[in-house]
Amino acid sequence: MERRSACILTAGIALGVVLPPLLNRVHAAIANATGKAKKEDAAANSTTHAVRDGLLSSSVRLEKSKLDAFLSRIFVSAGCAVSHADLVASVLSFADARGIPSHGCNRADTYINEIQAGLVDASAAPIVSEISGCCAVVDGRNGLGAVTSQLAMETALRLAEEHGASVVVCHSSNHFGAAGFWAKMALDRGMIGMSFTNTSPIAVPTGGKTRAVGTNPFCFFAPAASGEAFSSIWPRPLSLLGKWKSCTERGRRCRWGGAWIGTDPTAPRGKRFASLADFTPSAVPRRPPGTRDMDWECL
């Protein structure tokens, strides 16, 4: 009995010596993991960098193929051909997969609203209306921007293979998603790719008082050694409408660099690259630059 009591006492003392430090380590590890997750969320919430916006440790994640299938069904139900719906879905999920939610699946609702409001023709099939040497013009026939851009890039790649370089512009088209999706098509073929677009004139250029340019991206992709690649979206008006919309939907202010941008994403911004991306797609097909104002009330 005495021996058993002594064993129990010894075991109790051993547990009393060993267990508290172990418990303290476990609690510290849990606290550290929790604190790290909170810091990650706080860091993500304190920035609106396009690559990190909306990506929290607590974010819901799903397979890209499932997102593609879901988005495609939505567009088919809105009257799009299956092939067109699949293409638009892949363009939107491409942006989300790269951490750019401003041009990801949250755009689906805008696209559908545009179709239902009669602003975009879901059944339109774009055509190559003009071609001369290494240059071509694509008429989007007011169809989906992704469908028009697909034809434009396929034409550009074919002409580049034939002539060494090419320029293809589009008109009567609509929002084409993330510019990088199209430049990457050239990159995947071992070519340098540039994609840019004009938009509705919703931004006020620096020094101006009225809206005159769009939030126009200029994207550049180029292959590099060892399978690497260079990719960049050059400067454009500092507040992208999609990014601003993405932030406001999450109840967050929109920030660029060290400046917080208020509730108006159209306040005065830089104009040089915006003007370049505005006039280039307009001059070749002889179309007026950035003159189409969207009926935002229906969106």
Side-chain angles (χ1 to χ4, degrees):
M1 189 69 178
E2 291 180 358
R3 182 177 296 176
R4 181 181 299 176
S5 298
C7 289
I8 293 174
L9 179 61
T10 301
I13 293 174
L15 286 175
V17 172
V18 175
L19 196 56
L22 288 177
L23 290 176
N24 287 337
R25 289 190 178 186
V26 172
H27 290 157
I30 294 173
N32 183 56
T34 304
K36 184 178 180 181
K38 288 182 178 180
K39 286 181 179 180
E40 288 176 354
D41 286 357
N45 276 317
S46 67
T47 179
T48 58
H49 192 287
V51 178
R52 295 188 296 272
D53 182 28
L55 299 180
L56 310 181
S57 62
S58 57
S59 294
V60 175
R61 299 175 185 272
L62 69 160
E63 294 178 10
K64 184 176 180 297
S65 59
K66 292 182 178 179
L67 179 59
D68 284 340
F70 174 70
L71 292 172
S72 182
R73 288 197 299 271
I74 292 175
F75 286 105
V76 169
S77 67
C80 299
V82 174
S83 60
H84 292 179
D86 288 346
L87 174 60
V88 177
S90 64
V91 173
L92 297 182
S93 65
F94 166 85
D96 277 320
R98 290 176 70 91
I100 313 173
S102 63
H103 285 63
C105 62
N106 69 326
R107 290 272 177 171
D109 120 353
T110 300
Y111 289 5
I112 297 299
N113 288 341
E114 289 177 339
I115 292 171
Q116 293 178 340
L119 296 175
V120 175
D121 184 356
S123 61
I127 61 170
V128 178
S129 58
E130 298 180 50
I131 188 166
S132 176
C134 64
C135 300
V137 175
V138 173
D139 181 353
R141 295 182 167 180
N142 196 36
L144 293 162
V147 178
T148 302
S149 299
Q150 178 84 353
L151 175 60
M153 281 305 300
E154 288 175 347
T155 303
L157 294 174
R158 177 173 57 81
L159 293 176
E161 289 178 342
E162 181 180 350
H163 299 279
S166 68
V167 176
V168 177
V169 296
C170 311
H171 66 84
S172 303
S173 185
N174 291 285
H175 194 274
F176 72 171
F181 184 93
W182 310 111
K184 188 176 181 298
M185 286 181 64
L187 184 66
D188 291 342
R189 299 273 285 273
M191 301 182 187
I192 294 173
M194 291 185 285
S195 60
F196 45 100
T197 180
N198 57 5
T199 68
S200 298
I202 63 172
V204 179
T206 303
K209 294 184 178 181
T210 59
R211 299 177 184 183
V213 296
T215 52
N216 307 328
F218 193 104
C219 183
F220 178 90
F221 278 27
S226 303
E228 299 295 328
F230 173 84
S231 62
S232 177
I233 297 182
W234 293 356
R236 65 278 192 190
L238 296 184
S239 176
L240 298 179
L241 185 62
K243 185 176 178 182
W244 175 81
K245 182 174 181 288
S246 178
C247 290
T248 54
E249 286 175 348
R250 293 169 172 79
R252 292 155 58 182
R253 291 184 298 170
C254 196
R255 184 176 185 176
W256 189 277
W260 287 101
I261 298 171
T263 57
D264 183 5
T266 66
R269 304 287 176 245
K271 62 184 179 181
R272 291 180 179 84
F273 278 94
S275 298
L276 174 64
D278 201 4
F279 287 110
T280 304
S282 304
V284 177
R286 298 179 292 279
R287 295 278 169 164
T291 56
R292 179 185 177 189
D293 281 312
M294 295 295 292
D295 182 5
W296 296 106
E297 293 299 321
C298 72
L299 306 181

